């Protein structure tokens, strides 16, 4: 399959494990992948810089302290422009393909309409990725060869964590453009914490995460404009002891969005995110559920 060829030399994703998992948390960075296969770039109408507009640059590095505090991290190496695992498996835009999508495809979601389906049509603010229609096999290959194995591995990490600790929290890590503003106030949030309006995590989990970030001096929004995507919605089942939060970090805090280079703010922000992780893990805010102090 084409996806196998695209990632024959570089694994499409990886799981970074602590020496021993001591926290009932799993961290995930699905949009920070920065391996752009040459075959994919040859298909695209955008140059190697413009195609990075949807990339959550360096987010896996910002949250790398997860391992220090006993939690695994999963990270994509494939770029979001190539495949978006924060979508349903078959959110496909029929305008993109030479053949019709299969009957089970979701072709009418708001995300598909916006060009941001499982195989995206655009990056950034409406820049078309491809010059024309592409074979449907391209989408099928990426979904079967990368999307499904990615979610199989992520699901395994979450369920293994729950089996070990009795509960599990998935922290889905993302970045957002510096231009993002919240509502009529026009406030630029440093972080946005999304819990699908209370459906994907306990109130205690959400409130603790927001409170820690505020105590570190950051401006934090809740669910607006990002409440969480497919991953948060799909994995968050607080009634079953499975919690999921989406954390969005403002790129203006740590990088130059024009050059894709880290700024002087990167290291201080990474250290603060490390403090955030340490305090969140220590608090273990799972509502009324009891969490073992240590896993054997």
């Amino acid at each position: 399959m084409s996806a196998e060829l695209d990632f024959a030399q570089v694994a499409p994703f990886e799981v970074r494990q602590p020496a021993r998992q001591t926290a009932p948390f799993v961290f995930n960075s699905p949009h920070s992948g920065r391996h752009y296969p040459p075959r994919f770039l040859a298909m695209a109408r955008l140059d190697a810089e413009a195609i990075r507009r949807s990339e959550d640059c360096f987010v896996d590095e910002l949250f790398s302290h997860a391992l220090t505090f006993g939690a695994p991290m999963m990270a994509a190496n494939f770029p979001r422009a190539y495949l978006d695992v924060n979508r349903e498996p078959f959110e496909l835009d029929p305008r993109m393909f030479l053949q019709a999508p299969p009957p089970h495809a979701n072709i009418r979601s708001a995300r598909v309409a916006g060009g941001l389906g499982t195989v995206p049509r655009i990056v950034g603010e409406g820049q078309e990725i491809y010059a024309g229609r592409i074979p449907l096999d391209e989408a099928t290959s990426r979904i079967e060869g990368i999307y499904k194995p990615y979610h199989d591995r992520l699901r395994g990490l979450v369920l293994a964590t729950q089996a070990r600790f009795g509960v599990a929290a998935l922290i889905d890590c993302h970045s957002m453009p510096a231009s993002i503003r919240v509502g009529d106030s026009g406030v630029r949030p440093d972080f946005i914490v999304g819990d699908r309006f209370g459906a994907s995590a306990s109130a205690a989990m959400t409130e603790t995460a927001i409170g820690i970030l505020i105590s570190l001096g950051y401006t934090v929004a809740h669910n607006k404009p990002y409440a969480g995507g497919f991953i948060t919605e799909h994995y968050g089942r607080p009634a079953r002891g499975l919690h999921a939060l989406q954390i969005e970090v403002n790129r203006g805090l740590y990088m130059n969005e024009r050059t894709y280079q880290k700024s002087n703010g990167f290291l201080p922000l990474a250290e603060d995110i490390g403090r955030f992780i340490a305090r969140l893990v220590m608090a273990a805010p799972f509502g009324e559920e009891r969490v073992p102090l240590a896993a054997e």
Side-chain angles (χ1 to χ4, degrees), residues 157-239:
L157 285 171
V158 172
L159 293 180
T161 298
Q162 185 187 35
R164 185 171 186 175
F165 295 93
V167 291
L170 174 62
I171 308 299
D172 206 40
C173 310
H174 297 263
S175 69
M176 58 186 170
S179 59
I180 291 296
R181 298 291 186 272
V182 177
D184 296 334
S185 66
V187 171
R188 187 196 82 161
D190 298 316
F191 290 86
I192 299 175
V193 176
D195 63 2
R196 301 296 301 178
F197 301 98
S200 70
S202 68
M205 180 72 67
T206 301
E207 290 166 6
T208 300
I210 291 173
I212 294 170
L213 291 169
I214 290 174
S215 73
L216 290 169
Y218 293 100
T219 301
V220 185
H222 181 205
N223 283 325
K224 295 180 180 180
Y226 304 119
F230 173 79
I231 290 172
T232 311
E233 180 179 15
H234 183 71
Y235 289 92
R237 296 288 185 272

Side-chain angles (χ1 to χ4, degrees), residues 136-156:
L136 182 65
D137 284 350
E138 273 296 326
T140 303
S141 173
R142 297 175 198 181
I143 292 166
E144 296 294 336
I146 298 178
Y147 180 103
K148 290 184 177 180
Y150 189 98
H151 278 282
D152 286 346
R153 189 73 176 96
L154 182 59
R155 185 179 304 108

Side-chain angles (χ1 to χ4, degrees), residues 15-29 58-75 157 161 165 169-173 247 269-282:
V15 177
R16 302 163 191 169
Q17 294 276 12
R20 176 171 171 262
Q21 186 175 354
T22 57
F25 287 80
V26 174
F27 288 77
N28 181 49
S29 182
F58 313 119
V59 164
D60 56 327
E61 296 181 36
L62 285 173
F63 284 84
S64 62
H65 283 293
L67 276 68
T68 305
F69 300 107
M73 165 167 274
M74 188 163 177
L157 285 171
T161 298
F165 295 93
L170 174 62
I171 308 299
D172 206 40
C173 310
I247 308 284
L269 177 63
E271 290 301 315
D272 274 349
I273 290 177
R275 295 181 184 98
F276 163 75
I277 294 170
R279 291 169 61 179
L280 186 65
V281 165
M282 184 176 298

Side-chain angles (χ1 to χ4, degrees), residues 28-45:
N28 181 49
S29 182
H31 289 163
S32 58
R34 39 196 177 267
H35 174 70
Y36 289 80
R39 193 185 65 86
F40 170 58
L41 291 175
M43 296 172 64
R45 60 181 292 274

Side-chain angles (χ1 to χ4, degrees), residues 227-267:
F230 173 79
I231 290 172
T232 311
E233 180 179 15
H234 183 71
Y235 289 92
R237 296 288 185 272
R240 301 180 192 174
L242 298 170
H243 304 256
L245 288 180
Q246 179 174 287
I247 308 284
E248 296 270 358
V249 186
N250 193 304
R251 293 176 199 146
L253 295 174
Y254 70 92
M255 66 175 285
N256 183 315
E257 292 182 275
R258 183 179 58 82
T259 64
Y260 305 102
Q261 299 296 312
K262 297 174 184 176
S263 68
N264 291 336
F266 181 86
L267 288 178

